[in-house]
């Protein structure tokens, strides 16, 4: 079987600027990283974690180092990962010091009997596992301080690109390896000016992230809408129970949702790729074993 890979950096009302070109360049670098690993025979689960880690480490995105701020001026990060071959999954939420939330999510999957750990319990688990942490100030960027100030002035809660933006947001990656095994991973800082304690779709298995023996899906957009529709699992269900192709399943799910709320990337066990959105644009990139390579926004 041939491998395939897709990743996203957020969907919404994206405006053209030099910064969007910079985001596209980072997506291409992360795509190339994943391609090299898949070509070397690395499994899909390892690849999606590796790619999302790279995205978390770049403050252009609303994940990891670039996470947006809550109404209290703090960072509360969340992430999830799922192995389609086994159905195993792990998720974290409410993180304030963990440099790479996606790797902690994988440790939850592999080292605990649970799926989701949050807030103080998740932080304690991170210390127990010896993962890299940083002072909370490491995650507070000047750009996100300005964004929080703007949303407070307008008394709004800003989802990814709810106002015209040129930078990346929530990140995710899906892959199928040469053995036909699928995996998905997603990471985010959530909404600007969100209430402290708010949990979005990203750590909810079936909403923001899902993988099985048929496909793998990672979503981005308005978390509350994505959770109501259980978007990632819905794509998989339409393939499994309605025998739809990946493009048909992903396209129909996104089309039926409220406009301006959702984007997703997906791959099938057969090596198909789908990147659908009902917003102005979505930062996205994909590649497969045939030589296909795409990086796009609108």
């Amino acid at each position: 079987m041939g491998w395939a890979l897709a990743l996203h950096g957020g969907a919404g009302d994206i405006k053209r600027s030099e910064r969007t070109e910079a985001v596209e360049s980072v997506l291409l670098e992360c795509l190339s990283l994943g391609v090299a690993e898949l070509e070397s025979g690395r499994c899909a689960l390892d690849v999606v974690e590796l790619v999302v880690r790279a995205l978390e480490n770049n403050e252009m995105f609303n994940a990891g180092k670039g996470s947006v701020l809550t109404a209290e001026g703090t960072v509360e990060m969340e992430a999830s990962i799922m192995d389609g071959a086994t159905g195993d999954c792990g998720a974290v939420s409410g993180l304030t010091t963990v440099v790479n939330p996606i790797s902690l999510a994988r440790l939850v999957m592999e080292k605990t009997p649970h799926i989701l750990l949050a807030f103080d319990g998740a932080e304690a688990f991170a210390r127990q596992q010896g993962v890299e942490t940083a002072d909370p100030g490491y995650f507070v960027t000047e750009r996100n301080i300005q964004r929080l100030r703007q949303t407070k002035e307008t008394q709004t809660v800003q989802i990814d690109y709810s106002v015209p933006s040129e930078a990346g947001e929530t990140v995710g990656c899906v892959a199928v390896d040469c053995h036909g095994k699928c995996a998905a991973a997603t990471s985010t800082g959530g909404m600007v000016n969100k209430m402290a304690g708010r949990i979005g779709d990203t750590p909810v298995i079936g909403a923001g992230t899902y993988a099985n023996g048929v496909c793998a899906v990672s979503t981005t957009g308005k978390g509350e809408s994505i959770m109501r529709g259980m978007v990632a699992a819905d794509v998989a269900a339409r393939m499994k129970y309605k025998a739809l192709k990946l493009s048909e399943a992903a396209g129909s799910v996104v089309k039926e949702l409220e406009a301006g709320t959702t984007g997703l990337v997906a791959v099938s066990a057969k090596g198909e790729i789908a990147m659908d959105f009902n917003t102005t644009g979505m930062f996205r990139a994909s590649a497969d074993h045939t030589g296909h390579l795409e990086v796009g926004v609108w």
Side-chain angles (χ1 to χ4, degrees), residues 145-219:
I145 291 173
Q146 292 296 330
R147 292 179 70 181
L148 178 61
R149 184 178 296 119
Q150 291 167 1
T151 53
K152 283 185 174 294
E153 289 173 354
T154 56
Q155 296 184 331
T156 58
V157 175
Q158 185 186 120
I159 65 169
D160 289 359
Y161 310 109
S162 58
V163 296
S165 175
E166 71 272 1
E169 296 292 351
T170 296
V171 302
C173 181
V174 292
V176 56
D177 58 33
C178 60
H179 301 292
K181 295 180 178 180
C182 300
T186 315
S187 182
T188 191
M191 294 178 167
V192 183
N193 200 30
K194 65 183 180 181
M195 293 176 62
R198 179 262 184 183
I199 296 174
D201 66 292
T202 292
V204 178
I205 301 300
T209 303
Y210 191 74
N212 61 9
V214 176
C215 67
V217 185
S218 173
T219 74

Side-chain angles (χ1 to χ4, degrees), residues 93-115:
S93 187
L95 300 180
T96 59
T97 70
V98 177
V99 173
N100 291 114
I102 195 63
S103 292
L104 188 63
R106 183 168 180 178
L107 286 170
V108 171
M109 178 181 78
E110 296 179 339
K111 302 293 185 180
T112 81
H114 309 304
I115 290 176

Side-chain angles (χ1 to χ4, degrees), residues 261-279:
T261 62
T262 308
L264 64 81
V265 294
V267 296
S268 75
K270 296 179 180 180
E272 303 163 300
I273 298 171
M275 300 188 290
D276 290 87
F277 51 96
N278 62 17
T279 54

